[in-house]
Amino acid sequence: MGIASIARRIKQKNLAYILGRFRTVRVAYSSGRGAVEFLRPPRKSMGKWLMPTLFGDAKIADIVQTIRDEAVFVGLNLPGHIVDEIKTFALSEPLHAIYDPKGPTFRYSDVSGGVAADGRPMPIGGVSDPARCPAVQKVINDPVLRSIVRKYLGHEPRKITTILDWSFASSMSDEERRRLKHGVIDYHYDVEGYNFVYASFYITDTDRYSGAHVMMKRSHKRKPLRMLLGSARASQEAVYRQYGQENEITIEGPAGTGFVQDTSCFHRASPPTLGDRLMLAIRFIN
């Protein structure tokens, strides 16, 4: 996105997308919301906050500090029974194409080599409203996860969105993936409102050949003005020049591997070539 596109967003009064790029704005927003909640604490459902956690060994303060320092904490892992429930749900649900969300639905078993049974190329298939799954709800409402989110943001999030997507392995070229709206294979940073943090969980074993998440540590803090005012996307070469290739990490792990990330950092997805990936992503916004 260039200056002209940003100007259009300003005219459309989408100020959150413009101002949310700046860390100083996010910090100020966090302080303001935190002060309001101190004076008027939000009402909470006691049932949700008294439920047992899925992450019994988590050290919340250390996790929050790691995200502040490096933009990510890796190791908030789901237990096997929750992984199995979510995977079973995703295997049985109708999916929609990322580039045609209102088009014909299909099942996971209908896709082979990145091609659906009706011949459509299929980089990603998404489950509609995955929060319908009881196991997903347990993750969303987990008291440890919500405490991490609250402490990192400095306030309760006003909006929570949930994504459960299959990324299908294929020999599809990067250009074809981009044409089919699989643009997250390129480095970018997110702007979701004035403040945001994501929790993501691999529901299948995931490595660099099956869609592993790649990111640049500490890139949530040190963006030059050209990256803040221009497009939220950047070439790999530009990201390496700015932050150093040594700060790039590839998050690989078995099913259940979880990470909490300030997605204002530069990140991307590896194009899956040898294995399909199922990932649950929960976005805590504003």
Side-chain angles (χ1 to χ4, degrees), residues 128-156:
S128 297
D129 189 19
R132 292 178 291 111
C133 173
V136 171
Q137 272 297 325
K138 289 178 183 178
V139 181
I140 294 171
N141 293 320
D142 185 272
V144 165
L145 176 58
R146 296 300 289 270
S147 183
I148 291 167
V149 169
R150 186 171 63 255
K151 290 181 183 299
Y152 185 74
L153 293 179
H155 54 82
E156 289 288 345

Side-chain angles (χ1 to χ4, degrees), residues 165-239:
D165 283 350
W166 285 101
S167 296
F168 298 108
S170 73
S171 58
M172 196 178 299
S173 70
D174 288 355
E175 282 305 316
E176 179 70 357
R177 289 182 184 278
R178 293 183 186 105
R179 188 182 69 80
L180 296 173
K181 297 187 178 180
H182 190 192
V184 294
I185 60 172
D186 297 314
Y187 262 121
H188 64 283
Y189 61 87
D190 295 335
V191 187
E192 293 283 353
Y194 290 107
N195 214 7
F196 46 92
V197 65
Y198 291 11
S200 300
F201 303 91
Y202 295 149
I203 309 301
T204 51
D205 297 343
T206 302
D207 61 20
R208 64 196 62 207
Y209 306 108
S210 54
H213 190 83
V214 182
M215 62 164 288
M216 193 63 67
K217 291 193 298 183
R218 294 180 282 278
S219 59
H220 62 319
K221 291 183 177 179
R222 298 182 289 119
K223 291 188 188 70
L225 200 57
R226 68 180 183 279
M227 287 179 162
L228 289 170
L229 296 180
S231 173
R233 298 187 178 277
S235 68
Q236 179 173 275
E237 293 75 16
V239 172

Side-chain angles (χ1 to χ4, degrees), residues 14 46 76 85 88 99 101 181 199 207 236 244 246:
N14 191 356
M46 290 305 295
L76 194 73
E85 286 182 46
T88 298
Y99 59 85
K181 297 187 178 180
D207 61 20
Q236 179 173 275
E246 69 276 7

